[in-house]
Amino acid sequence: DAGVTQSPTHLIKTRGQQVTLRCSPKSGHDTVSWYQQALGQGPQFIFQYYEEEERQRGNFPDRFSGHQFPNYSSELNVNALLLGDSALYLCASSRWDRDFTGELFFGEGSRLTVL
Amino acid sequence: RKEVEQDPGPFNVPEGATVAFNCTYSNSASQSFFWYRQDCRKEPKLLMSVYSSGNEDGRFTAQLNRASQYISLLIRDSKLSDSATYLCVVNFGGATNKLIFGTGTLLAVQP
């Protein structure tokens, strides 16, 4: 049973460029949340997708956008990269369930460095 | 004010010690609370849920004080393998399950 997979694992971009990160959720999960984790900080909520729609959004600018596909996989896009966007980007999957247990399953993350 | 606040530590304790972590949250409407653990260079993983009546899982005890909007985690008889960052997590989204993480508290258990 494959867990959450993310790609790429590492990437380096320059200021002003655009990046796309990808995530495949754990088998049986239909909800994907994206988090940004800067060094020494906790994960910060970017947004959440369910049924191909953005359901919740954190305090991130419009440069951060996403998409969810019919197979539940998801992409995170960041435009006009800034140095401050350098971080580990974590994808977390879960089931959209009123009896949510609180367990998010995280991928190993995509580490983005902006030069 | 941050949505979920924790003392970042680090907490350096000897093996066998008891250590307590505290956390406060800003949204009084939040209904569910959790502690996650994150090992160095690894992804976060659920450690335990926090219930209003308090709950225990082996050496770990979690408590919630809704009136003070305060959550705690107590670790008894610390082991070297407990060394990690402990993240306080609050569900701000109700039915949509928007989990907000604190900064995390770094625990280093010394031999």
Side-chain angles (χ1 to χ4, degrees):
Chain A
D1 178 20
V4 179
T5 59
Q6 292 187 243
S7 65
T9 53
H10 295 83
L11 69 167
I12 300 173
K13 293 285 188 177
T14 56
R15 279 177 296 175
Q17 285 190 310
Q18 178 264 344
V19 68
T20 297
L21 308 178
R22 296 176 176 80
C23 172
S24 291
K26 181 179 167 63
S27 178
H29 286 184
D30 53 14
T31 304
V32 172
S33 301
W34 285 92
Y35 287 84
Q36 179 196 66
Q37 188 171 26
L39 203 59
Q41 301 294 313
Q44 286 206 312
F45 180 80
I46 303 175
F47 41 52
Q48 177 192 72
Y49 277 85
Y50 170 66
E51 289 189 332
E52 302 177 51
E53 288 187 15
E54 183 182 292
R55 300 293 177 155
Q56 290 272 8
R57 189 177 183 92
N59 189 25
F60 279 80
D62 292 345
R63 299 187 296 109
F64 289 76
S65 63
H67 190 77
Q68 185 179 34
F69 300 94
N71 67 352
Y72 308 121
S73 67
S74 178
E75 286 181 352
L76 163 65
N77 300 292
V78 187
N79 294 323
L81 285 167
L82 303 173
L83 294 179
D85 295 331
S86 295
L88 180 68
Y89 289 84
L90 292 164
C91 170
S93 77
S94 59
R95 284 193 306 193
W96 188 271
D97 188 341
R98 65 166 53 193
D99 295 324
F100 178 58
T101 63
E103 188 160 20
L104 293 178
F105 289 81
F106 283 87
E108 294 186 347
S110 294
R111 186 164 297 282
L112 171 65
T113 302
V114 182
L115 301 178
Chain B
R1 182 186 173 186
K2 284 188 178 178
E3 294 172 299
V4 179
E5 292 203 65
Q6 290 182 255
D7 178 347
F11 282 52
N12 294 297
V13 303
E15 272 186 290
T18 296
V19 61
F21 305 136
N22 304 318
C23 166
T24 56
Y25 60 95
S26 62
N27 184 353
S28 60
S30 297
Q31 293 297 313
S32 50
F33 311 89
F34 313 94
W35 284 99
Y36 271 66
R37 169 186 169 138
Q38 186 172 24
D39 292 319
C40 188
R41 296 190 173 276
K42 295 287 190 179
E43 69 275 18
K45 292 184 179 178
L46 178 65
L47 176 66
M48 61 194 300
S49 300
V50 186
Y51 302 117
S52 296
S53 54
N55 50 295
E56 194 172 297
D57 183 1
R59 297 181 293 108
F60 298 81
T61 301
Q63 295 204 309
L64 168 67
N65 183 323
R66 287 186 187 272
S68 303
Q69 293 175 215
Y70 172 94
I71 304 161
S72 66
L73 176 69
L74 184 77
I75 305 176
R76 292 182 301 278
D77 188 23
S78 298
K79 311 288 185 193
L80 294 176
S81 58
D82 293 334
S83 297
T85 295
Y86 290 83
L87 297 156
C88 177
V89 184
V90 179
N91 189 350
F92 273 55
T96 57
N97 303 318
K98 174 184 173 183
L99 296 196
I100 302 300
F101 287 70
T103 304
T105 299
L106 178 61
L107 172 65
V109 181
Q110 313 290 341

